[in-house]
Amino acid sequence: MNPTYEALGPTRALATLLAAFGVAACTTEAGQDTGGVAWDPFPGEKRFASLTQLTFEGENAEAYFSSDGERLIFQRRHEGEYECDQIFTIGVEGGDRNLVSTGLGRTTCAYFFPDDSRIVYSSTHHADDACPPPPDMRRGYVWALYDFDVYTARPDGSDVQAIFSSPGYDAEATISPDGSRIVFTSTRGGDLDIYSMNPDGSDVRQLTDEPGYDGGPFFSPDGSKIVYRARYPESEEELADYQALLADNLVRPGILDIYVMDADGSNRRRLTDNGAANFAPFFHPGGEKVIFASNLHDPDSRNFDLFMINLDGTGLEQVTFSEEFESFPMFTPDGRHLVFGSNRHGSHEGNTNLFIAEWIDELPE
């Protein structure tokens, strides 16, 4: 889940949040044919040498690079195309995008295998071809835990194979740099926990077991650690609310923190503790910092920016300075570029787009 886009579902379920956080894009459908559009970074964005917008309508989020850095895989919803999120790929220069999911049900959380031979994503199409209904907000702002299963396919969307299924939420899958393990979030054990498995779905291992939501896991560049977001109830009242919602396949976001653990689930460390919604963490290629999204300046707002922090929780640095929603950052393996989703330069509420920044790693004194 990700506190901004329904894809979060609780996944990168932030997908729900994203929809609620509405973003804007400023060009027309022509951008689909002509490629990216350059923008100046906002004042304070000293890490960005350049900035290019790749998509221009609809809700586009959770974009992740192929290992060669030439393509992005992401989820998208746009009126007139599909009722809810589907998975697409697009070149890093923008232009034409390709549907690589089935076009049925709701999809989320797509990722390339390290050799780019296959992709992994989650979908509800096994349960119903139709898009599942949105959650009932009469219980407050909640994310729906849809009946996702985990699938792999070729990069063109063919040869779809189910690799993990349980009667509940199985999503947020990403892959270790060497391709040996997939890490994901599941309710298979009665709670929202992080698991790992082989790429074929075998040898499933539970990595977290404390009551509460654990999700959005990503491996470190050397595969030795996992960064993720979590919220562990701090009172009997909060725990009861969490468990009641979970029984109805719902979860309430709001406060989330960034954690790091070893790849086997041991040695858990908390990196943030600010009362805000901190999510969508990703390792800097150097392995000693994490970039993530947060509304820490105003925990009641939808104004999320990107921040970086050291693995010991020190050195917090604000990266983006938009008054809109920014999230889902990912670096290329060489650290030269950063992709993220944003509402900046949007034309209407709910228009979230993909941006690529040329990254400045060493800042002048």
Side-chain angles (χ1 to χ4, degrees):
M1 315 173 181
N2 294 316
T4 332
Y5 188 82
E6 192 180 68
L8 293 187
T11 155
R12 290 174 290 333
L14 278 183
T16 300
L17 281 183
L18 278 184
F21 288 2
V23 243
C26 82
T27 65
T28 66
E29 184 70 15
Q32 169 70 3
D33 302 318
T34 60
V37 170
W39 292 96
D40 289 333
F42 289 139
E45 294 178 341
K46 58 188 177 181
R47 293 286 185 180
F48 294 170
S50 65
L51 186 66
T52 303
Q53 182 175 346
L54 301 183
T55 61
F56 301 89
E57 81 291 331
E59 297 170 18
N60 307 272
E62 294 202 57
Y64 303 108
F65 286 103
S66 58
S67 62
D68 63 9
E70 295 299 316
R71 295 193 68 74
L72 292 162
I73 191 164
F74 66 105
Q75 61 196 44
R76 167 185 172 82
R77 177 172 58 202
H78 181 47
E79 186 176 356
E81 291 181 356
Y82 297 95
E83 185 181 352
C84 56
D85 297 293
Q86 293 295 323
I87 305 301
F88 293 80
T89 59
I90 193 172
V92 294
E93 303 298 326
D96 291 341
R97 58 183 173 268
N98 299 309
L99 175 70
V100 295
S101 56
T102 64
L104 305 174
R106 180 187 293 272
T107 63
T108 191
C109 306
Y111 211 74
F112 281 101
F113 275 61
D115 61 0
D116 296 334
S117 63
R118 295 188 71 79
I119 59 174
V120 62
Y121 64 92
S122 291
S123 177
T124 65
H125 73 260
H126 62 281
D128 196 326
D129 289 353
C131 185
D136 184 351
M137 296 297 179
R138 287 178 296 181
R139 298 172 74 173
Y141 182 71
V142 294
W143 289 334
L145 299 171
Y146 296 113
D147 185 12
F148 285 112
D149 284 346
V150 184
Y151 295 83
T152 68
R154 294 193 179 102
D156 64 0
S158 63
D159 189 32
V160 179
Q161 298 179 16
I163 61 167
F164 188 83
S165 174
S166 73
Y169 181 81
D170 307 302
E172 308 178 37
T174 60
I175 308 172
S176 62
D178 65 1
S180 64
R181 301 292 290 180
I182 290 176
V183 66
F184 64 104
T185 295
S186 176
T187 55
R188 64 172 297 182
D191 194 19
L192 279 161
D193 285 307
I194 294 174
Y195 295 78
S196 73
M197 62 183 171
N198 288 332
D200 63 359
S202 63
D203 188 29
V204 178
R205 304 177 189 177
Q206 185 171 346
L207 304 184
T208 63
D209 60 8
E210 184 173 347
Y213 168 60
D214 301 286
F218 289 90
F219 283 96
S220 61
D222 65 1
S224 67
K225 300 178 180 66
I226 293 170
V227 66
Y228 62 104
R229 61 177 173 266
R231 175 61 180 177
Y232 304 117
E234 297 180 351
S235 68
E236 290 300 321
E237 181 181 12
E238 185 182 358
L239 178 60
D241 179 67
Y242 169 77
Q243 292 175 334
L245 288 171
L246 189 62
D248 291 333
N249 298 312
L250 299 169
V251 68
R252 190 186 311 282
I255 299 175
L256 293 169
D257 279 301
I258 306 302
Y259 288 79
V260 172
M261 63 183 171
D262 290 350
D264 63 358
S266 64
N267 195 24
R268 186 181 76 187
R269 292 97 75 198
R270 184 176 186 171
L271 302 190
T272 64
D273 185 6
N274 52 32
N278 307 279
F279 69 98
F282 195 86
F283 273 96
H284 178 276
E288 298 300 322
K289 294 178 181 287
V290 168
I291 191 168
F292 64 99
S294 179
N295 62 350
L296 64 86
H297 290 316
D298 184 358
D300 293 325
S301 79
R302 297 175 180 177
N303 181 7
F304 281 72
D305 278 301
L306 301 183
F307 295 81
M308 252 191 338
I309 195 169
N310 296 326
L311 287 189
D312 62 1
T314 64
L316 183 69
E317 175 189 343
Q318 186 168 344
V319 175
T320 62
F321 290 82
S322 169
E323 295 182 358
E324 304 289 344
F325 171 82
E326 325 255 32
S327 187
F328 312 113
M330 181 193 186
F331 286 102
T332 51
D334 62 9
R336 295 178 60 188
H337 293 89
L338 177 81
V339 66
F340 62 99
S342 177
N343 290 11
R344 65 174 67 194
H345 306 308
S347 61
H348 60 277
E349 184 177 359
N351 176 212
T352 309
N353 286 295
L354 307 182
F355 290 78
I356 288 184
E358 184 180 1
W359 182 260
I360 300 174
D361 208 41
E362 297 295 330
L363 295 174
E365 295 294 335

